């Protein structure tokens, strides 16, 4: 038997020993699944049992004693406890003067290769997470025969100690629950599923802050063949293995099926149920009986067990505990938003228990007196409303609107695509109205998605919107669909207007005009005939085709999930089949294939995107959005002149379309037409002077041309407009890296990671370490970046370069460079004229000492972008490594003349020999003088 499989069989055997004969058979069926070989291995252990000593948890070495110092750094204070994988001690970090927790492996775990890898993975996974509600990991050490993780010490109590069979008040439970959801949302955003969420793994510190612990059986969901840590694939689970604690397992986890973030949502629901009722949602006399209850039974409603539970909270718990993952909250971020709303209402006193009894009977005389007072108040209010246009709250003259995700009432999966599609439809329609209402600016739906905005307040803080449109969709009996639309002031979170629509499924005949008519009325817009034509242009006369189009838009809204792109394509295909002349459906199909290309980098998707965009243009040449889509696809193929023509056509149709101006500017930029690009960027800024996305794109344009002082004010404005925008701080940090302002860069990057640990921020931080010759630190940062965005060729190239210059990991560099080249070639196949891609590929080939390929790629890059400072810098790297010193010096001079940053040239390891050349020093002196 393979050692790893033998160890896995032993774990199943030891667990089965704790059960009686009746329970054991069912457990083994679940644990071994369809793996007949594994079942035979487990059965053989019953016939020839291993030594009893193997069942006794113990360390593989003497336990550290109080006062003992490990690794010349950690002084043991006391033993805190033990768990399934290790023993935890409290210790003092002598270097940093702080208290830490040290987690040591048990002997049974350390002998198990799979469990050992899981222990190491726990450290790697947790070190990649940076959130106030997740226990931080500081270090992993293998010293003096001890293998341990140093992590944050969290004084306080475990959640199970706080519950202790008592129901928490709703306010207290919600304060904890929101923090738990925030921590899970952060982990899920990094591609990590906990898989063992339970009260015993949740700490509440002395200040009431939640900390999620023990990601020891966590699962990475985003790495593919490339895995993590330099391309080494890591699999921590075995088919048929059940990991986790029975009472909090999701049904799919109990059946040993593949799990994702929604499994944690189920466990969250079980924990929250226990918090608000004082008892478990699923209980049995044994683990197997508990699993059976999870698979077959429904828990008693929380409000029935504990009458003080608000009905809204009861519904959230019930939705978390759905057997079907599709019917739960799909993300912890969505769950967090729902909990925050209930928490706010509960703390304000607006939310009451589900079982609140009727008040005592009030004397008739008091009722009449109260009614008289209310009547006078009503008259006064009505008079005030009449003087204010019959609406109590005024609508601001300047309207910057963000359209937010609609709530799917009841969590019906059949409703979700409709909810998401309505968001896109309202956003797109409002955008078409901008040309008729000068004071109207609509935040692009893509920006709302990108920043993960789900609340009106966040739309104001992060996107600068002063108004938000929210809503809900509820599917009733008989196919009736009830739609609620709200207009909200983002500063005060006041609901200014409300409108409702009732329509009949499945054709939704009332939506095309009904939704926009309601929204326009709430905004106090009078839709003139030309405005109405603009909104409805390209629509269909076939209601069923519109219904499929809406579903497709809803799926495409979350194009970050590959399966949603396929669902969108299927819906748009049905829409086009029902109405072949439906222009917007064909244009949306083009965008869906473009998103698929961005995900897969396959030429077939790009070809189909172009085919459907061409069809849309042929059907109706008078729609600006159709030409913008075509321009985007042409630019993606490197066909800059045709792309420019499309954007100019869009601007002829809609001169105030900022998206078209930005597309035109970026295409001029890519074609090397710098003056035209800047003019187009300035026009976009004139149209949207307070739009952070426009300012960011202009800043990136200057950045790519090494015009760093010109880029800085734009990046600074982005930070000022969106102070909670992690990417904005990361961009500013990356800029300061190029300017050689190391301390400023580190501050911005740490700020970015504290908000959200994005791949860009980790990559920039890794670059700062790389340029400071701290290659091991650079590797750690670049590895975290590749885990978050595994398909990004640049991140893998950065990681390979850090491996290359490190002392102990240089052997990983060649394989990682080849992986980066495999990813980048897919992009080059689609856009062979992209100079940045060619230049990066050239440096990777140079590192692999393939001079012929390196020279070929860099020559193409220089031909495509002769005035690009970054391309000239990469050419210097290529030629110096190819022992072409004269050409390398020529390229350094060209890069410096075009404004490339001297600090990077002065620190790049491949140029170490060149920097000793007197001619290089002369160039530098001339530059400094």
């Amino acid at each position: 038997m393979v050692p790893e499989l033998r160890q896995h069989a032993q774990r199943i055997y030891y667990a089965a020993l704790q059960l009686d004969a009746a329970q054991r058979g069912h457990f083994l069926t679940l644990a071994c699944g369809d793996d007949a070989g594994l079942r035979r291995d487990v059965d053989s252990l019953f016939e020839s049992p291993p030594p009893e000593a193997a069942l006794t948890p113990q360390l593989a070495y003497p336990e550290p004693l109080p006062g003992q110092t490990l690794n010349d750094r950690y002084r043991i204070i006391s033993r805190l406890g033990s768990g399934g994988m290790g023993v935890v001690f409290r210790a003092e970090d002598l270097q940093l003067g702080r208290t830490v927790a040290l987690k040591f492996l048990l002997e049974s775990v350390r002998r198990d290769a799979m469990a050992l890898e899981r222990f190491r993975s726990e450290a790697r996974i947790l070190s990649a997470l940076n959130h106030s509600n997740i226990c931080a990991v500081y270090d992993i050490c293998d010293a003096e025969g001890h293998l341990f993780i140093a992590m944050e010490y969290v004084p306080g109590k475990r959640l199970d100690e706080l519950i202790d069979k008592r129901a928490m008040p709703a306010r207290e439970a919600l304060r904890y629950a929101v923090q738990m959801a925030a921590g899970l949302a952060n982990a899920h955003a990094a591609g990590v599923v906990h898989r063992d969420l339970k009260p015993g793994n949740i700490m509440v510190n002395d200040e009431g802050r939640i900390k999620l612990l023990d990601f020891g059986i966590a699962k990475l969901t985003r790495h593919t063949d490339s895995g993590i840590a330099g391309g080494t694939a890591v699999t921590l689970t075995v088919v048929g293995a059940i990991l986790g604690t029975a009472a909090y397992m999701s049904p799919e986890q109990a059946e040993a099926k593949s799990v994702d973030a929604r499994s944690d949502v189920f466990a969250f629901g079980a924990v929250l149920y226990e918090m608000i009722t004082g008892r478990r949602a699923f209980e049995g006399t044994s683990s197997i009986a508990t699993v059976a209850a999870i698979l077959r039974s429904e828990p008693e409603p929380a409000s029935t067990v504990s009458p003080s539970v608000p009905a809204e909270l009861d519904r959230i718990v019930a939705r978390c505990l759905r057997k079907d993952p599709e019917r739960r909250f799909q993300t912890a971020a969505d769950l967090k938003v729902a909990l925050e709303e209930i928490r706010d209402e509960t703390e304000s006193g607006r939310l009451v228990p589900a079982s609140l009894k009727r008040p005592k009977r009030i004397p008739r005389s008091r009722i009449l007196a109260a009614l008289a007072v209310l009547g006078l108040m009503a008259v006064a209010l009505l008079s005030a409303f009449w003087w204010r246009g019959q609406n109590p709250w005024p609508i601001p003259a300047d309207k910057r609107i963000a359209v937010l995700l609609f709530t799917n009432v009841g969590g019906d999966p059949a409703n979700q695509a409709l909810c998401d599609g309505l968001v896109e439809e309202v956003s797109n329609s409002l955008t078409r109205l901008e040309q008729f209402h000068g004071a109207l600016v609509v935040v692009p739906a893509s920006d709302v998605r990108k920043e993960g905005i789900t609340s009106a307040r966040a739309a104001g803080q992060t996107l600068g919107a002063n108004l938000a449109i929210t809503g809900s969709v509820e599917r009733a009996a008989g196919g009736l669909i009830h739609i609620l639309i709200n207009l909200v002031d983002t500063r005060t979170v006041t609901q200014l207007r409300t409108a409702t629509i009732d329509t009949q499924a499945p054709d939704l005949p009332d939506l095309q005009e009904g939704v926009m008519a309601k929204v326009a009325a709430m905004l106090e817009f009078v839709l003139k005939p030309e405005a109405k034509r603009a909104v409805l242009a390209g629509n269909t006369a076939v209601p069923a085709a519109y219904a499929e189009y809406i579903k497709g838009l809803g799926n495409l809204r979350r194009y970050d999930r590959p399966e949603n792109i396929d669902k969108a394509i299927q819906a748009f295909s049905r829409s086009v089949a029902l109405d072949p002349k439906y222009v917007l459906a064909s244009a949306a199909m083009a965008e869906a294939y473009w998103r698929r290309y961005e995900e897969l980098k396959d030429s077939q998707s790009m070809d189909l995107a172009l085919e459907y965009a061409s069809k849309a243009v042929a059907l109706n040449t008078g729609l600006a959005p159709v030409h913008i889509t075509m321009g985007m696809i042409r630019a993606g193929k490197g066909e800059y002149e045709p792309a420019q023509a499309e954007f100019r056509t869009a601007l002829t149709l809609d001169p105030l379309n900022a998206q078209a101006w930005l597309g035109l500017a970026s295409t001029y930029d890519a074609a090397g037409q710098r003056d035209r690009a800047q003019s187009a960027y300035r026009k976009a800024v004139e149209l949207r002077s307070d739009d952070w996305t426009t300012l960011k794109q202009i800043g990136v344009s200057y950045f790519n041309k090494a015009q760093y002082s010109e880029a800085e004010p734009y990046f600074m404005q982005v930070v000022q407009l969106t102070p909670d925008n992690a990417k904005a701080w990361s961009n500013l940090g990356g800029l300061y890296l190029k300017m050689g302002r190391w301390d400023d860069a580190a501050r911005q990057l740490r700020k970015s990671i504290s908000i959200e640990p994005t791949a860009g921020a980790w990559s920039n931080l890794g670059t700062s370490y790389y340029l400071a010759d701290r290659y091991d630190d650079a590797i750690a940062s670049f590895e975290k970046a590749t885990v978050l965005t595994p398909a990004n060729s640049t991140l893998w190239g950065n990681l390979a370069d850090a491996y290359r210059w490190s002392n102990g990991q240089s052997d990983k560099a060649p394989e990682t460079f080849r992986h980066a080249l495999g990813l980048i070639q897919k992009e080059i196949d689609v856009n062979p004229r992209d100079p940045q891609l060619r230049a990066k590929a050239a440096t990777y080939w140079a590192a692999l000492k393939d001079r012929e390929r390196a020279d070929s790629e860099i020559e193409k890059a220089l031909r495509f972008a002769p005035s690009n400072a970054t391309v000239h810098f990469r050419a210097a790297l290529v030629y110096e490594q190819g022992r072409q010193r004269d050409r390398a010096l020529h390229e350094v001079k060209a890069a410096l003349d075009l404004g490339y940053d001297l600090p990077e040239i002065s620190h790049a390891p491949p140029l170490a020999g060149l920097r000793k050349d007197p001619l290089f020093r002369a160039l530098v002196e001339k530059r400094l003088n």
Side-chain angles (χ1 to χ4, degrees), residues 835-836 839 858 861-863 865 868-876 891 900:
Q836 298 290 350
I858 201 62
L862 288 167
R863 186 165 67 251
N868 188 296
T870 302
V871 171
H872 284 284
F873 167 67
R874 290 188 177 275
E891 296 302 333
Y900 201 78

Side-chain angles (χ1 to χ4, degrees), residues 480-556:
L480 182 68
I481 294 178
H482 179 72
I483 300 171
L484 175 68
I485 305 173
N486 305 308
L487 183 66
V488 182
D489 182 311
T490 62
R491 184 179 60 83
T492 62
V493 197
T494 301
Q495 191 167 295
L496 306 178
R497 303 285 188 275
T498 296
T500 60
I501 296 176
D502 289 315
T503 187
Q504 199 71 24
D507 292 345
L508 313 178
D510 302 322
L511 284 187
Q512 285 194 83
E513 297 189 40
V515 172
M516 267 317 296
K518 297 284 188 181
V519 171
M522 287 195 297
L523 292 170
E524 299 178 351
F525 287 160
V526 176
L527 287 183
K528 297 180 180 179
E530 61 269 26
K532 191 172 182 180
R533 283 195 297 271
V535 170
L536 297 178
N539 269 338
T540 178
V542 182
Y546 181 76
E548 293 297 337
Y549 170 70
I550 288 289
K551 292 176 186 175
L553 287 181
N555 285 306
L556 195 58

Side-chain angles (χ1 to χ4, degrees), residues 14 37 67 94 107 204 272 285 325 444 510 515 568 589 601 659 662 684 696 707 860 884:
Y14 295 147
L94 299 175
E107 181 181 9
V204 183
L272 184 52
T285 56
D510 302 322
V515 172
M589 181 79 97
K601 303 299 181 186
Q659 187 180 1
L662 282 174
K696 183 200 77 170
Q707 296 175 260
K860 292 173 184 174
Q884 302 176 72

Side-chain angles (χ1 to χ4, degrees), residues 565-724:
I565 297 176
D566 292 335
K567 290 178 182 177
I569 289 172
Q570 291 165 12
F572 292 139
S573 296
R574 291 191 293 269
S575 181
V576 170
L578 288 164
D579 183 359
K581 295 182 179 181
Y582 192 175
V583 182
L584 295 180
S586 291
M589 181 79 97
E591 183 183 352
Y593 276 117
W594 167 252
R595 298 302 180 190
R596 178 192 270 182
Y597 163 72
E598 287 188 312
E599 178 72 25
L600 303 178
K601 303 299 181 186
D602 64 315
S603 58
Q604 183 184 12
S605 292
M606 175 61 85
D607 292 342
L608 288 167
L610 184 58
E611 176 186 332
Y612 278 98
S614 301
K615 179 180 178 181
V617 171
L619 285 169
N620 190 335
T621 60
L623 292 176
V626 170
H627 291 283
I628 291 172
T629 300
M630 175 62 89
M632 175 181 68
I633 293 169
R634 291 286 190 195
K637 287 177 65 65
E639 299 172 1
Y640 301 128
E641 292 79 8
Q644 291 167 14
E646 295 293 341
F647 289 124
R648 283 194 291 266
T649 301
L651 288 167
T652 301
L653 297 166
D654 184 359
L656 302 181
N657 193 307
Q659 187 180 1
W661 281 110
L662 282 174
L664 182 61
S666 62
T667 310
Y668 281 144
D669 231 346
Q673 298 169 285
R674 299 171 64 177
D675 292 341
R676 287 187 171 185
Q678 293 308 315
S679 176
Y681 278 129
R682 282 194 295 272
K683 183 62 178 178
V685 172
E686 288 174 14
L687 293 171
R688 293 189 169 186
S689 59
D690 60 348
D691 179 22
W692 71 270
T693 56
T694 303
L695 296 168
K696 183 200 77 170
Q697 196 160 335
I698 297 173
V700 169
S701 169
Y702 281 119
F703 179 90
N704 288 338
K705 292 189 286 289
Q707 296 175 260
Y708 303 125
S709 58
E710 288 85 351
E712 184 179 9
Y714 288 101
F715 284 157
M716 288 292 295
Q717 288 180 69
V718 174
V719 166
Q720 291 164 6
L721 287 170
T722 60
D724 295 332

